[in-house]
Amino acid sequence: MMAIKGMRRSGSSRAEKLCPQFRRSMLASLMAFTVMAAPSVAVAENDDSGFSGNRLWTNQLKDYALQSLQNEDAMSMAAIPLNGPGINQYINADALMSPGSIMKLVTTFAALEVLGPNHHWDTDFLTDGVMAGDTLKGNLYVRFGGDPKLTIERLWTTLSELRSMGITKIEGDLILDGTYFEVDGGFPAFEDNGDNPHAPFLVEPSAYLTNLNLMHFQVRADERGTQAWSTPSLGEVVIDNRVVATAEGPCPSRRNFEWEPIIHEDHRVTVRVTGELPQGCRSTTYLSLLPHEQYSASLIRSLLADLGVVVSGGDLNGVTPEDARLVMKTTSPDLVTMVRDINKWSSNVMARQLLLTIGAENRLEDENDDRVAGIRVIYDWLEDKGINTAGMVIDNGAGLTRHGRITARQGAQILQHAWNSSYSADLMASMPIIAMDGTMARRLRNTGMDGEGRIKTGYLENVRSIAGFTRDSNNTTWAVVGMVNNDPAWNGQAVLDRILYSLHFRPPTGTAISHAASGTSDTSIQ
């Protein structure tokens, strides 16, 4: 069944629980048998040196989390050995948690298997007119194909072909066709706790998406004073530069500058920047200021003007005529390249664009919303793998939501299937490397774990999360998922890093009893 907004899956767990009396009896008998039959167990239980020795591996981790978070239900975790010795470890593993950006792993893994690693997106440029001399007499249509990363560089390269054909004037309109995606009534709102509605991570998906809908603003100081500019340079956006140049000195943080957009009634924008900047220094920021259709039309028109091509008509949205002739096209890099950008740097808009693409490519006749269709496809794909999706809420595919939910057990099971997938190498290569790059570049440095895992991270207000693959000191690779939902969650990162550190240096492969899941009857001998 599907629920509104994020479409929560309903259902019951497949595991049957034993009665409490039998569970206690079984655990006591198992512990007694183990102590009598294996002397090494008694040694381990009296040895405080090993993390999996004196007390249970999960109990020590739970104690650390409780001390840090002051809430025993704030953390959930699942760790499963994939190719070597080790015992499954679970803490609150069946609790539905807000995952943050680790949900991107579900979307990107699904895309690799559903769309295929060589999937591409095409953006076509067509006309209903004719070319006469240096003039295109007719409209120029841009038929978008949902490209998650149609950059300014690719657009410039493609549009330059028109100039190379000898065209310097278009006697017609610039008409954008964004009918590739179907979206019924927009997207669920995300209530951000920040004070910048123009931040890059808040950009919504759209068939009209170009250059991630962003403008890159820069200001630099030299002996002449300060100069400010933007890339791209759009006619609808002007900069009111009030930055004061000072004597040479240390370059200040970007936080010392205020970029204030002022939206006018005619849909133009003035960006006022203030601050003080030593000579030889510069400061930058990225902002999303215009609606997708306006931004893309202005960008294309600006690039054409730079190439010496003038469009005499206006900017319109419409449907490309069936008899329009193709003039040129640009094809995106393959899906594997897109997945790497999404997971390494946690691009929300690209992940959301990818979910819409899954829906658009698999839309049923009675469906009119590609977000909903994409979620349906992913649920079906997961259940075909035998994964219980009860309670799971995908929402937008990026994790940028207050509604998203998943359990650590579900996440770990998905990673197990990813490990065995034909495209496991492509997914793993997209994930940040511990202490080396992406969103893990600054984590677990100087711990001896550089390069020992590929971990996707998640971050929202009151949410911290990790998911991926990490290797222990025995060269066993573990699938690991950890989530902290707590108010506040600022110290959740340290708890999650402790999971990775402990799995690497003190993996639970010794000789102690470990609870397989908090509140369940399952036990295992390490």
Side-chain angles (χ1 to χ4, degrees):
M1 294 190 297
M2 299 181 183
I4 307 218
K5 289 188 177 177
M7 301 172 63
R8 180 189 297 271
R9 280 288 171 147
S10 62
S12 60
S13 173
R14 299 175 180 175
E16 295 292 330
K17 294 187 178 180
L18 300 176
C19 67
Q21 294 85 353
F22 180 73
R23 182 166 65 245
R24 288 193 294 268
S25 175
M26 182 182 69
L27 180 57
S29 299
L30 178 60
M31 292 180 67
F33 172 78
T34 304
V35 171
M36 290 187 293
S40 59
V41 173
V43 172
E45 302 233 350
N46 291 319
D47 180 7
D48 291 335
S49 61
F51 192 72
S52 57
N54 184 41
R55 298 192 310 175
L56 306 181
W57 190 92
T58 52
N59 278 355
Q60 289 196 351
L61 198 57
K62 287 167 67 175
D63 289 347
Y64 180 82
L66 180 59
Q67 182 180 6
S68 300
L69 304 171
Q70 301 297 307
N71 182 349
E72 63 181 8
D73 298 321
M75 183 193 73
S76 68
M77 183 277 293
I80 301 173
L82 298 171
N83 60 352
I87 304 299
N88 297 2
Q89 300 293 314
Y90 301 103
I91 299 175
N92 297 328
D94 296 313
L96 287 166
M97 306 284 279
S98 176
S101 285
I102 64 172
M103 188 61 82
K104 293 182 175 72
L105 289 181
V106 179
T107 306
T108 52
F109 177 30
L112 285 168
E113 293 208 338
V114 173
L115 299 175
N118 60 342
H119 182 84
H120 294 80
W121 291 260
D122 289 331
T123 303
D124 300 329
F125 295 81
L126 309 97
T127 184
D128 56 2
V130 296
M131 296 184 183
D134 63 355
T135 302
L136 172 60
K137 296 184 177 182
N139 299 313
L140 180 64
Y141 291 87
V142 184
R143 187 167 60 199
F144 292 97
D147 194 332
K149 196 177 181 184
L150 180 53
T151 63
I152 188 173
E153 293 82 6
R154 282 177 49 213
L155 280 171
W156 187 92
T157 299
T158 304
L159 293 171
S160 67
E161 295 178 11
L162 194 63
R163 186 65 180 85
S164 298
M165 297 175 194
I167 299 299
T168 61
K169 186 176 181 181
I170 298 174
E171 291 184 349
D173 297 321
L174 176 62
I175 303 178
L176 307 186
D177 181 349
T179 56
Y180 174 72
F181 287 148
E182 290 189 12
V183 178
D184 184 19
F187 305 102
F190 173 73
E191 297 179 3
D192 182 45
N193 61 311
D195 57 358
N196 182 9
H198 308 288
F201 74 92
L202 293 174
V203 174
E204 291 193 335
S206 170
Y208 299 98
L209 181 69
T210 59
N211 206 47
L212 303 179
N213 206 55
L214 295 178
M215 297 188 68
H216 183 200
F217 292 90
Q218 300 186 68
V219 59
R220 184 182 183 276
D222 56 29
E223 60 274 11
R224 301 169 298 169
T226 62
Q227 294 77 40
W229 68 96
S230 69
T231 306
S233 178
L234 305 181
E236 294 90 340
V237 180
V238 297
I239 302 175
D240 179 9
N241 178 19
R242 301 189 181 187
V243 177
V244 177
T246 62
E248 292 185 5
C251 294
S253 166
R254 286 182 293 180
R255 292 190 295 270
N256 292 3
F257 298 86
E258 182 178 1
W259 299 81
E260 180 187 2
I262 302 170
I263 312 297
H264 303 291
E265 291 184 0
D266 60 357
H267 304 296
R268 294 178 178 270
V269 182
T270 297
V271 179
R272 180 179 299 155
V273 54
T274 56
E276 294 185 351
L277 191 62
Q279 292 185 29
C281 296
R282 75 172 65 196
S283 186
T284 71
T285 195
Y286 287 87
L287 297 173
S288 178
L289 300 173
L290 301 176
H292 289 83
E293 298 93 324
Q294 183 183 6
Y295 176 92
S296 294
S298 183
L299 173 59
I300 292 170
R301 186 178 287 270
S302 174
L303 291 174
L304 286 171
D306 290 345
L307 291 165
V309 180
V310 177
V311 182
S312 63
D315 300 332
L316 302 173
N317 298 327
V319 179
T320 305
E322 291 185 5
D323 59 351
R325 297 180 295 115
L326 182 67
V327 179
M328 52 211 175
K329 74 187 308 180
T330 177
T331 299
S332 74
D334 59 23
L335 176 62
V336 171
T337 303
M338 298 295 186
V339 166
R340 188 180 190 278
D341 284 345
I342 290 171
N343 287 332
K344 283 285 187 186
W345 304 106
S346 205
S347 173
N348 289 319
V349 66
M350 290 181 67
R352 298 176 70 179
Q353 198 87 348
L354 189 54
L355 178 64
L356 292 184
T357 300
I358 294 172
E361 293 293 323
N362 296 276
R363 186 190 309 138
L364 301 178
E365 289 185 4
D366 61 345
E367 291 179 319
N368 61 355
D369 191 313
D370 290 336
R371 181 186 70 90
V372 176
I375 293 172
R376 171 189 57 78
V377 170
I378 293 178
Y379 281 145
D380 291 345
W381 168 77
L382 288 172
E383 292 182 351
D384 285 345
K385 293 180 177 297
I387 296 173
N388 183 2
T389 61
M392 187 184 297
V393 181
I394 294 175
D395 195 29
N396 60 25
L400 185 70
T401 172
R402 308 294 181 195
H403 308 295
R405 293 293 183 272
I406 195 171
T407 70
R409 190 185 302 274
Q410 289 170 333
Q413 289 173 346
I414 293 170
L415 291 176
Q416 280 184 290
H417 284 277
W419 175 259
N420 293 310
S421 170
S422 299
Y423 312 122
S424 60
D426 300 309
L427 183 66
M428 290 183 67
S430 75
M431 299 163 67
I433 304 173
I434 290 177
M436 296 184 71
D437 72 0
T439 56
M440 284 294 295
R442 298 181 180 276
R443 292 176 65 168
L444 290 167
R445 284 183 171 181
N446 305 314
T447 63
M449 288 191 64
D450 296 28
E452 293 294 343
R454 293 178 176 271
I455 301 295
K456 180 73 192 75
T457 61
Y459 179 100
L460 281 176
E461 182 186 22
N462 300 333
V463 176
R464 302 292 185 273
S465 57
I466 58 170
F469 305 94
T470 187
R471 189 167 57 182
D472 68 22
S473 54
N474 301 317
N475 286 328
T476 295
T477 298
W478 294 71
V480 58
V481 175
M483 291 175 281
V484 170
N485 288 187
N486 198 42
D487 184 10
W490 61 267
N491 52 350
Q493 178 174 312
V495 174
L496 298 174
D497 285 352
R498 177 66 173 263
I499 294 174
L500 298 174
Y501 184 91
S502 300
L503 275 176
H504 181 75
F505 289 105
R506 300 170 181 175
T509 57
T511 50
I513 303 293
S514 173
H515 287 284
S518 178
T520 74
S521 62
D522 298 332
T523 61
S524 55
I525 302 177
Q526 302 179 31

